[in-house]
Amino acid sequence: MAWEEWEQLKTDAEARRPTQMQINHVAPEGEGATFGDLKVKNADLEKIGKEAHSLFERLDREGKVAHSSSDSAATNLKQQGFDLAAGLQHVSNRWEKQLGSLLDACAQISNHLHRTQSVHGGDEDYIRRTMSSIDTLDQGFDERVGKAGKPNPAYYGKPSEKKDD
């Protein structure tokens, strides 16, 4: 590619780019924007946690086999007097350290998601109970709950049925 062609391509690219800075933003109301809280379902967290746990188990099982094989190969080569044995032993030791780091990371992800699911579930239950109590309290002060002229059942309870003797 000739230097002039390269310069022309750069100039063309620069011309296509807007001259003002553009900041990513949420579209104002009326432009199809939706507002609300971030929602993560427990099923999503559970899937990620299960995948992390599955990866942990597979790394633990298969990673240790690879380490064991290279470790025994290094020992065998050393006994036969090969200089390559020291290099292979170094790789085996490094493998063991890296495998341990990966196993720890997978376990942390799995445990963290499990804990997050548990904590947020407890928070949701607490909020639900609190809001339910407020609704019940509000009904006690709201005349619209009971019929006009009758005691409010939220406050006084439901009238007991009288039995005929």
Side-chain angles (χ1 to χ4, degrees), residues 2 70 131:
S70 59
M131 296 306 289

Side-chain angles (χ1 to χ4, degrees), residues 75-93:
T75 303
N76 193 355
L77 288 172
K78 185 176 182 180
Q79 290 171 348
Q80 295 179 34
F82 286 97
D83 291 337
L84 180 64
L88 188 55
Q89 187 62 56
H90 174 75
V91 169
S92 178
N93 293 342

Side-chain angles (χ1 to χ4, degrees), residues 41-54:
K41 297 179 181 167
N42 282 343
D44 297 334
L45 294 177
E46 190 175 334
K47 284 179 187 176
I48 295 168
K50 281 183 179 179
E51 286 298 320
H53 184 71
S54 174

Side-chain angles (χ1 to χ4, degrees), residues 7-20:
E7 288 299 323
Q8 183 61 44
L9 288 172
K10 287 186 354 184
T11 305
D12 292 347
E14 192 67 34
R16 285 191 304 264
R17 204 166 69 190
T19 56
Q20 297 178 354

Side-chain angles (χ1 to χ4, degrees), residues 9 14-15 32 50 77 97 110 112-113 116 129 142 151 163:
L9 288 172
E14 192 67 34
K50 281 183 179 179
L77 288 172
K97 284 180 104 175
S110 179
H112 178 73
L113 288 173
T116 299
R129 286 191 317 268
D142 191 353
K163 294 182 182 179

Side-chain angles (χ1 to χ4, degrees), residues 51-61 103-104 106-107:
E51 286 298 320
H53 184 71
S54 174
L55 181 59
F56 173 86
E57 288 179 337
R58 187 169 174 206
L59 277 171
D60 189 40
R61 184 178 58 249
L103 288 171
D104 288 346
C106 288

